[in-house]
Every structure is written in C-alpha cells, then in structure tokens.
Amino acid sequence: MAIKAQVLYEFIAEAGNNELSVREGETITILNQNVGGGWIEAQNSSGNVGLVPEDYIEVNSSTHSAPPAQAVGSYDAYNSEPAAHTQGTNGGGAWPATAWSGNDHGNSSGNCDYSGQQQTPTYQQQGSLEDDEWDDESDDGRSAGGYGHAEEGGTAQRGGTLHPSMKISLNKFSFSKTPNPEVFLIGQSPNKGKESLPIYMGEVGPVWLYPQVPLDCVVADPKKGTKMYGLKSYIEYQVTPNTTNRAVNHRYKHFDWLYERLLEKFGSAVPIPCLPDKQITGRFDDDFIKMRMERLQGWMSRMCRHPVVCESDVFQLFINYKDERDWKVGKRKAEKDEVMGPMIFFTVEPEAPDLDPIEVEQKCEMYSRFTKTMDDGVKDLLNVGNLHWKRCTGPLQKEYQKIGKAFQNLSSVFTTSGYTGESALTDALTATGRTYEEIAEIVASQPKQDLHFLLETNNEYKGLLGCFPDTIGVHKAAIDKWKEADRLVAMNKITPQEKVTMAKRLSTMSYSLQAEMNHFHSNRIYDYNRVMRLYLERQVTFYETIAEKLRQALSQYQEL
C-alpha cells in the first residue's frame, strides 16, 4: 500500500537541488523514506517527484501505522537517541580580529537566537557516531531533529502554521538545567592527561595564560559541493590559520560540531558564543553566503582570541587536521573526552592562594550584575540602531526624495512664466532637486558603510552575554553547595576534610571566573574602541559628502 502523508508547512524547492515544492495541507505519496539527512522522496498530486523535508510532513495513520523512519544520522548529540521533534538561536590579551561576527546549515544546531538566553547542555557523554552516519546528516539545516523557535511569533509545532517566508531557528538539542558542580566539588579527579589551564596574577587580577603567538584564522573562498550523487548540495569554506598558512575545508555542520564540543567541554567555565543562526530558504544566495562567511569569520576570530579555546585539542584539530583519516580519528577522540562540563575545573591551576568563599560570592554577584546590565545596554543599542537603519532606508530616504522632487517641480513652474531673466534660477533649482535625490541615495546606503559593523559587534556581544547567566550559574550553584557543607557534615554525608576540599575547589572556580571576566573586559574595551572609531570616521565622511554636495548646489545661485 502506498504511504500517504499530509504536508504540515509549505515548502518552496530551490532550483537545481532535486527538491519538490509542496503546499500546506496537500497530500503526498512517500516513495522513499530512507534518503537520509532529514529528507524523504515523495510525489505530489501533480505527479512531480522530489525531496521534501521529513519534518514538513506527517504520515497518515490510516495508510501507515508504523512511525516514519528517522533519517540516517539524526541523533540527539547528548544521549545518542533519535532526536525528538521539539520546538527550538573575551579578555586578557585583546588581539585584532580579522572580521565581524549567518549559515550553511549543519547537522545539528547548537545555535542561540540572540535572545540573550544561552542554553546549557546536560553534559552527558555523547556516544561516538559512525562517520558515515555523521557525514550523511543534512547540511542545509533540515536535520530530523525538529525545528526551533519561529521568529516573529511564528510556530513550528506539529499541526501548527508557519508562514513560508519566515525564518526559523533549527536548534536540535534540548538543553536542560545548569550542570551540577558537585562532580567537581567533591568528585574524583578524572584522567586529564596533559591538560592544564594555568591562571596567573596580572595587573588586573587573575588572567589565563596566553599563547606567545596570537592565533587567527581566515574563513574564505566558499564553494558549492554536492553529495548523494548530486541530490544534495552544500557550501564548503576554507579555514586558514596564521600558524601554518595551510587551508583546511569545512562545511557549516563541521563548525556546528566544533561549537557543540566547545560548549560541552568548556561551557561551565568559558562562555561559548553561538554560531550564526540558520535559515531554511535562500541558503545558496550570494548575499546569504557572504553574510554567513562574515559571521563565521567573526566567530572563529573570537574563538582564536580565547587562550583556553584556541589551545584546546579539539580546536587545533579543526584548524590543523592533515587528512580525512586524521579528522575522523580526532573527531572520535574529542567525542570520547571525559573532561567535560564542571570536570574542566580539575585542569584549572591558579598560582594564587585560596580565596574566602564569601569573597567568591561577592565577586560572582558583581559579575552577574554587570553582564545583565551590559546585556540590557547592548539590546537597547541594537533596537535603536535597527530602527535608525529602517528610517534611513525608508521614511528618511523618501523625505529627501520628496524635497528634491518639490524643488524640481517648482523649477518647472518657473519656466512657464516666459520671463527671460530667470533661467539661471530655474537651472539652479533643478540642480538642487537632483542634489537632494542624490542625498536620499547616500542616506539609504550609509548604514551598510558604518552602522552594519556596529550592529554586528553588538550582535556578537548579545550572543556572548547570553552565555554568562549559565556560566555564572555554575559558580552560584557551587556556592550554594558549599553553604550546605556544615549540614552535610552533621548528617555524615561528607567528612570535614571533604568540606575543606569543597572550599579549596570553590576558590579554583572563582579564579577561573575572574580570569574569564578579565579576558571579557579586555576584549570588550578593544572591540568597542575599534568599532566606534570606525563608525564615527565613516559618519564624518558621510556628513562631509553631504555638505560638499550642498556647497556645490549653493554655488549655482547668484548673489543679488
């Protein structure tokens, strides 16, 4: 019996990608459920055949009692179970970044949506996926892990409605509560090998150990590739580190995998900013590819500037793998890493004496207040900047055009008077009208010249600041555990020596948080100084250009 399915959301196929356009509510026939990567092959009511996202359809129970097959390689990254359809976006030494911080869609998204809410994984050990399964995952964001928060109030739940042109966040993972710091406070030290995160006392307080040669990477040269015998397409980028000047190739889902590994390993100690968000349609458009590459560049630059991240084995693998075998072996090793989540604090080695837990709590509260206040300020600037951009490309541009048109209309009226001595005036009026029309175009194009970089920097910091509540939350949870120490000793649940160990390890966590905040503040000062200088320099050029055009218009009028 043919398997029938109901289309839940309208899907517009992209040319040359063997996709099939379907309408919401349409009944289609499933021809092949085992295509993989979150896709099925289907035939619509017109007889056309092509690929449709599996999550866009629901199999009719009357024609097929078994649940639809999960796409090959579609796994929840933290428990290796088939993903449910759930609804789901620096400091120390401040080094120059090569770009500002878009997306070839990955196999499984750890993205944030810039809502200021960083999601924290459960830190369960990920099962090692077979490479073939991992490589077969969809590279266009339509993995079978379900869809995320629909932007602008849309919904992507089963049976819901979704506007076809609306972008949706394709977050796959279901993150849970703040990781339990007990595994560090009173747990046994894991086999950490040679891993070590030294913390030194600098002029501003605790700081991470920075590499002698600052690391940077260039993300460039996007190329379109195919898989599944040409059925599916993807974009691949070249990543070139300054330490080797040897390029390695990565698709977006590889960046996504790196993000997951970094978040799972370092997220309790280091805020890992989100990757640029995904979108369903237009992923091969030149403008989108350019935007994604720019934002991936910004993300990589920020990771390169972090001394903990850039020196980690998983990050070095990503930028320096030698061949396919080296990549796969390194990937499996990273996925089996035992030093994850709060366990990362076992590798932190501060050179300073232990801190008083009360001092630890005070510093934690101070950092929490600052990051929350800065987050509010960044969001406010983004709102104002986006509104100004809309005004420049909308009402303000039209107002200058109207003024220019009014001057030219007045000039046309004057020419009908028949008076021979006013040609110089009418010519000047016409030129003034054209000047205002030119100013209208300059005003409309200016946000791309200066406001773009300011907003991109703030978007980066909005995502980064959204990570801090959970990172600080781990430290607050540790403080709460330490406060329970006396009661736990009285109940014979821990020994007095374990209480002492808890205080010592809480001090280690505090040094880690202080080093991270000092890194953040140093980079914050560098980034905002740089972007504000650029913004104001280009604003000066903008107004000087307008002033020069107005001077030229003025020069055409005679002094009487």
Side-chain angles (χ1 to χ4, degrees):
M1 179 182 296
I3 301 175
K4 301 291 184 179
Q6 190 83 6
V7 178
L8 299 176
Y9 319 114
E10 182 174 359
F11 172 67
I12 307 300
E14 292 198 2
N17 214 20
N18 293 316
E19 297 172 353
L20 176 68
S21 295
V22 291
R23 303 185 308 276
E24 180 182 344
E26 179 182 359
T27 299
I28 61 175
T29 302
I30 297 177
L31 303 179
N32 183 2
Q33 287 182 282
N34 299 315
V35 172
W39 296 83
I40 57 97
E41 185 179 27
Q43 183 179 47
N44 64 13
S45 55
S46 301
N48 298 321
V49 175
L51 300 177
V52 177
E54 186 180 29
D55 280 317
Y56 276 52
I57 66 158
E58 188 169 50
V59 175
N60 294 339
S61 58
S62 60
T63 61
H64 188 62
S65 59
Q70 286 287 338
V72 176
S74 177
Y75 290 88
D76 183 298
Y78 297 105
N79 57 21
S80 298
E81 293 292 329
H85 296 285
T86 56
Q87 189 168 8
T89 106
N90 296 350
W95 306 331
T98 58
W100 315 81
S101 155
N103 279 324
D104 185 72
H105 306 282
N107 62 316
S108 49
S109 170
N111 293 348
C112 295
D113 60 2
Y114 291 128
S115 65
Q117 297 296 321
Q118 169 69 10
Q119 297 169 308
T120 307
T122 57
Y123 293 103
Q124 295 174 352
Q125 179 63 36
Q126 178 181 3
S128 177
L129 302 181
E130 290 298 324
D131 289 297
D132 288 343
E133 290 177 336
W134 191 82
D135 288 340
D136 281 345
E137 294 254 354
S138 171
D139 204 50
D140 60 7
R142 299 190 186 100
S143 59
Y147 295 93
H149 303 296
E151 293 182 3
E152 301 175 8
T155 175
Q157 292 177 319
R158 289 284 189 182
T161 58
L162 182 68
H163 193 279
S165 64
M166 186 181 296
K167 295 181 184 178
I168 59 177
S169 175
L170 301 172
N171 290 343
K172 177 175 178 177
F173 302 117
S174 179
F175 294 106
S176 65
K177 61 184 180 180
T178 300
N180 188 350
E182 280 188 25
V183 296
F184 170 68
L185 291 177
I186 57 177
Q188 295 296 318
S189 175
N191 179 17
K192 59 183 182 179
K194 297 181 180 179
E195 280 193 90
S196 174
L197 299 178
I199 293 179
Y200 298 94
M201 297 304 294
E203 294 180 0
V204 296
V207 293
W208 298 113
L209 175 64
Y210 285 80
Q212 292 183 347
V213 179
L215 176 65
D216 199 9
C217 290
V218 175
V219 181
D221 197 22
K223 287 186 172 60
K224 189 174 182 180
T226 60
K227 60 179 181 177
M228 295 168 59
Y229 305 101
L231 289 175
K232 295 304 300 174
S233 302
Y234 58 86
I235 300 298
E236 191 171 59
Y237 303 87
Q238 279 192 349
V239 179
T240 307
N242 63 339
T243 51
T244 65
N245 289 321
R246 183 179 63 86
V248 295
N249 295 322
H250 284 296
R251 290 151 63 177
Y252 176 81
K253 71 176 187 179
H254 300 161
F255 286 92
D256 200 25
W257 175 86
L258 175 63
Y259 167 77
E260 295 158 17
R261 300 272 65 74
L262 295 177
L263 180 63
E264 193 170 8
K265 183 172 180 64
F266 298 116
S268 293
V270 175
I272 304 297
C274 308
L275 284 174
D277 206 4
K278 298 179 177 181
Q279 73 178 42
I280 290 180
T281 60
R283 60 192 183 276
F284 297 121
D285 292 348
D286 289 342
D287 288 344
F288 176 73
I289 292 172
K290 180 180 178 182
M291 177 191 69
R292 164 170 284 172
M293 183 173 68
E294 179 183 2
R295 291 181 173 177
L296 286 176
Q297 174 70 77
W299 188 84
M300 283 296 293
S301 294
R302 194 162 295 281
M303 294 297 94
C304 286
R305 291 160 65 184
H306 198 290
V308 172
V309 172
C310 74
E311 294 280 270
S312 65
D313 290 344
V314 65
F315 194 80
Q316 288 294 317
L317 168 72
F318 187 82
I319 63 175
N320 287 323
Y321 74 90
K322 298 179 179 62
D323 50 36
E324 191 67 18
R325 182 181 181 280
D326 188 37
W327 167 250
K328 290 183 177 181
V329 171
K331 184 171 70 69
R332 283 198 176 101
K333 180 181 177 182
E335 289 167 353
K336 294 178 180 178
D337 192 350
E338 295 181 358
V339 186
M340 310 290 278
M343 305 288 276
I344 194 66
F345 293 114
F346 279 111
T347 68
V348 176
E349 299 175 355
E351 68 170 6
D354 295 344
L355 297 171
D356 186 299
I358 302 303
E359 182 182 352
V360 172
E361 184 174 26
Q362 291 172 347
K363 290 183 178 295
C364 194
E365 287 299 325
M366 178 181 67
Y367 296 145
S368 181
R369 287 194 299 270
F370 175 80
T371 53
K372 176 61 172 67
T373 304
M374 182 177 173
D375 189 42
D376 292 339
V378 165
K379 290 176 181 176
D380 182 57
L381 182 55
L382 281 171
N383 290 335
V384 172
N386 284 320
L387 179 61
H388 180 65
W389 191 309
K390 291 179 180 179
R391 286 182 54 81
C392 287
T393 57
L396 196 55
Q397 179 189 19
K398 291 179 181 178
E399 287 300 319
Y400 279 107
Q401 290 172 338
K402 288 179 180 178
I403 293 172
K405 192 66 175 176
F407 283 135
Q408 293 181 73
N409 288 340
L410 184 61
S411 175
S412 297
V413 171
F414 284 179
T415 59
T416 64
S417 69
Y419 188 71
T420 57
E422 64 177 352
S423 60
L425 174 62
T426 55
D427 289 345
L429 275 172
T430 299
T432 301
R434 290 171 181 167
T435 296
Y436 273 85
E437 288 180 336
E438 291 173 2
I439 291 174
E441 297 306 313
I442 295 173
V443 168
S445 63
Q446 185 59 25
K448 292 182 179 179
Q449 306 301 320
D450 50 30
L451 192 56
H452 166 73
F453 301 108
L454 180 60
L455 294 183
E456 284 296 299
T457 298
N458 274 271
N459 258 330
E460 278 193 57
Y461 271 88
K462 183 179 177 182
L464 184 59
L465 287 163
C467 304
F468 270 101
D470 286 326
T471 300
I472 294 175
V474 176
H475 293 73
K476 288 184 175 181
I479 293 170
D480 291 340
K481 292 294 181 184
W482 174 81
K483 288 180 177 179
E484 295 180 12
D486 288 333
R487 181 176 62 84
L488 295 174
V489 170
M491 297 172 62
N492 294 322
K493 290 189 175 182
I494 64 172
T495 66
Q497 182 56 43
E498 286 176 324
K499 175 187 173 182
V500 174
T501 300
M502 288 178 69
K504 182 178 182 64
R505 292 181 176 179
L506 179 61
S507 174
T508 297
M509 293 179 67
S510 178
Y511 278 117
S512 169
L513 180 59
Q514 292 180 70
E516 187 56 36
M517 288 303 301
N518 286 330
H519 174 79
F520 174 80
H521 288 316
S522 177
N523 277 263
R524 171 179 59 84
I525 293 169
Y526 172 82
D527 287 337
Y528 276 92
N529 184 73
R530 176 189 59 166
V531 75
M532 286 305 301
R533 282 183 60 88
L534 176 66
Y535 176 74
L536 291 174
E537 285 170 357
R538 296 194 175 183
Q539 278 277 290
V540 169
T541 302
F542 165 65
Y543 285 107
E544 286 177 344
T545 301
I546 292 179
E548 180 58 30
K549 286 190 171 294
L550 292 174
R551 277 193 288 267
Q552 291 176 5
L554 174 62
S555 67
Q556 299 188 52
Y557 292 87
Q558 301 174 355
E559 291 188 15
L560 301 179

